[in-house]
Amino acid sequence: MAVCTAYTSPSHHHFIFSTHRPNRRIITGKISCSSETNTVVIGLAADSGCGKSTFMRRLTSVFGGAAEPPKGGNPDSNTLISSTTTVICLDDYHSLDRTGRKEKGVTALDPRANDFDLMYQQVKDLKEGKAVEKPIYNHVSGLLDPPELIRPPKILVIEGLHPMYDARVRELLDFSIYLDISNEVKFAWKIQRDMAERGHSLESIKASIEARKPDFNAYIDPQKQYADCVIEVLPTQLIPDDNEGKILRVKLVMKEGVKHFSPVYLFDEGSTVSWIPCGRKLTCSYPGIKFFYGPDTYFDHEVSVLEMDGQFDRLDELIYVESHLSSLSTKFYGEVTQQMLKHSDFPGSNNGTGLFQTIVGLKIRDLFEQVITENSSAPAVSKV
């Protein structure tokens, strides 16, 4: 069902009228017509420093074009916009700045430090095709900056600590992902990011991790039960008593029965398969690569699990693995391999994190296209 909407912003001087509001005066202005479910909304949940930014870059790349901050806006904006996607960081819905959290003795993970009412209303508005004035949390200063105008995109990704915490927001999501990083891996990643990119000391990072643990366990980790797809990153099982953490075992947990989403499978759908592909067609140095696929249950949900332990030596040989995977939602043979080669410098490109993030990105593209096709087949109506 098509709906026409015009929108405004105090700083951009566009006029508003909505066909949903009866007897409202219609003003000439900027008008857009779209389906009632105008924007597809994707939720990505994970703790800080767990690879959300890399996942977002892989996802937006699937749709073409680089995602960049809003042009001419706040240089410290967390928002990334491409021709198809808009990625919103849910840190922007902190209700307390860094000083306020310290004074009240709460972390950013605590719901009391976040404005879920505003988050829900603005995600709802964007999904319905309405522009919003979204706040900005400045990670550099720790302050809440003036808001920025966000127009409804084709695909809205809300990423952060709490995309599935509020039941109202969960209902707005067309698809949801949770990045579940083991404590050992999370610690290594967070140190690398916060020391290299944010100038934090090792001691402050350790203290921050310990302070966050109770709130993470209480408010963030439980969200994975609601996710349509979970990417678990774990220490390898290929090296006994491995302490280096350089080799990773990654699991893609895919919920069955999700609308517009069919799980990826290895060889034979619904079977249980253990596969060591190393040999003439896939170069593997020690300790090699091992895949697993099979059915399982996850928080009482039926799921399919695809697992990779180890890492690739040559990404161009990934085509051999890709040829044994089905339901990838690729447009052409070798598209997964092409995407991986395109971003070979991204973290995780030689292991299951990059592979499964790329696969999920392609599945989201397929979901989006299915939703658009479904909406376009609905009859257009006019509400005045």
Side-chain angles (χ1 to χ4, degrees):
M1 180 158 51
V3 175
C4 296
T5 304
Y7 46 81
T8 188
S9 158
S11 59
H12 288 72
H13 306 295
H14 292 136
F15 298 106
I16 291 183
F17 78 84
S18 169
T19 56
H20 295 286
R21 300 182 183 181
N23 303 321
R24 187 167 181 177
R25 182 168 58 96
I26 297 177
I27 305 173
T28 302
K30 187 170 183 179
I31 303 172
S32 64
C33 296
S34 61
S35 64
E36 192 163 297
T37 309
N38 186 48
T39 295
V40 172
V41 183
I42 308 297
L44 174 65
D47 195 8
S48 175
C50 286
K52 295 189 296 294
S53 297
T54 300
F55 192 2
M56 288 302 94
R57 288 191 291 166
R58 292 189 191 277
L59 175 60
T60 54
S61 174
V62 165
F63 290 92
E68 300 175 342
K71 289 184 175 17
N74 187 331
D76 294 318
S77 169
N78 304 305
T79 304
L80 294 173
I81 297 175
S82 71
S83 58
T84 304
T85 60
T86 293
V87 179
I88 287 178
C89 175
L90 295 184
D91 289 356
D92 288 335
Y93 294 101
H94 288 340
S95 55
L96 299 172
D97 61 19
R98 194 175 294 157
T99 301
R101 295 196 300 272
K102 187 174 182 180
E103 289 174 348
K104 292 186 178 294
V106 298
T107 70
L109 292 76
D110 194 311
R112 293 174 295 174
N114 297 273
D115 190 341
F116 288 100
D117 288 338
L118 181 61
M119 181 194 302
Y120 163 68
Q121 187 58 55
Q122 294 202 338
V123 173
K124 181 174 181 289
D125 285 346
L126 288 167
K127 188 177 179 73
E128 293 176 350
K130 306 169 189 174
V132 302
E133 288 282 349
K134 182 190 62 58
I136 298 174
Y137 176 76
N138 191 316
H139 283 105
V140 178
S141 67
L143 300 174
L144 300 171
D145 286 353
E148 61 185 351
L149 177 70
I150 302 296
R151 293 186 175 90
K154 294 178 181 178
I155 299 174
L156 173 68
V157 182
I158 57 171
E159 61 92 359
L161 298 171
H162 303 98
M164 292 171 268
Y165 179 81
D166 189 307
R168 299 171 300 173
V169 178
R170 286 202 304 271
E171 287 297 312
L172 298 173
L173 300 178
D174 294 283
F175 193 76
S176 55
I177 309 109
Y178 186 93
L179 301 184
D180 190 11
I181 317 299
S182 70
N183 289 333
E184 303 94 324
V185 176
K186 184 190 298 183
F187 183 70
W189 286 4
K190 189 168 177 62
I191 285 177
Q192 183 178 12
R193 186 202 66 174
D194 285 1
M195 290 186 71
E197 298 179 15
R198 299 184 179 176
H200 296 183
S201 68
L202 180 61
E203 292 73 19
S204 68
I205 295 169
K206 288 181 177 178
S208 172
I209 289 174
E210 288 303 314
R212 293 165 64 94
K213 273 186 179 179
D215 283 354
F216 172 79
N217 293 334
Y219 308 120
I220 311 305
D221 196 55
Q223 293 178 73
K224 62 189 179 187
Q225 65 186 296
Y226 305 116
D228 298 314
C229 181
V230 177
I231 299 177
E232 294 184 3
V233 183
L234 306 155
T236 183
Q237 291 182 337
L238 298 176
I239 304 174
D241 303 317
D242 176 59
N243 294 318
E244 293 187 10
K246 293 181 180 179
I247 307 298
L248 300 176
R249 178 168 61 100
V250 187
K251 298 172 68 174
L252 178 59
V253 182
M254 300 164 283
K255 191 179 291 184
E256 297 283 353
V258 177
K259 188 176 183 181
H260 302 309
F261 174 77
S262 55
V264 177
Y265 60 93
L266 177 64
F267 291 116
D268 183 26
E269 186 175 12
S271 62
T272 299
V273 177
S274 183
W275 181 42
I276 299 175
C278 301
R280 294 180 179 178
K281 296 182 179 179
L282 188 67
T283 305
C284 299
S285 56
Y286 177 82
I289 294 177
K290 183 177 181 179
F291 281 88
F292 170 84
Y293 163 76
D296 204 346
T297 56
Y298 188 83
F299 290 97
D300 297 325
H301 295 289
E302 291 186 5
V303 297
S304 291
V305 177
L306 180 63
E307 177 181 311
M308 174 185 165
D309 196 348
Q311 61 186 32
F312 302 107
D313 285 353
R314 294 183 52 180
L315 271 182
D316 59 319
E317 294 178 344
L318 176 60
I319 188 69
Y320 175 63
V321 173
E322 181 178 350
S323 67
H324 289 80
L325 295 170
S326 298
S327 188
L328 287 170
S329 299
T330 51
K331 298 286 190 184
F332 53 86
Y333 179 73
E335 187 177 14
V336 172
T337 302
Q338 182 194 74
Q339 284 289 327
M340 291 285 284
L341 285 167
K342 185 192 302 185
H343 304 300
S344 59
D345 58 331
F346 283 12
S349 291
N350 65 341
N351 60 48
T353 57
L355 174 61
F356 293 158
Q357 286 176 5
T358 299
I359 288 173
V360 172
L362 293 169
K363 299 300 289 186
I364 289 173
R365 181 184 66 186
D366 181 58
L367 178 144
F368 166 72
E369 291 174 352
Q370 289 185 60
V371 171
I372 293 302
T373 300
E374 187 176 87
N375 291 341
S376 64
S377 65
V381 298
S382 176
K383 295 180 180 180
V384 180

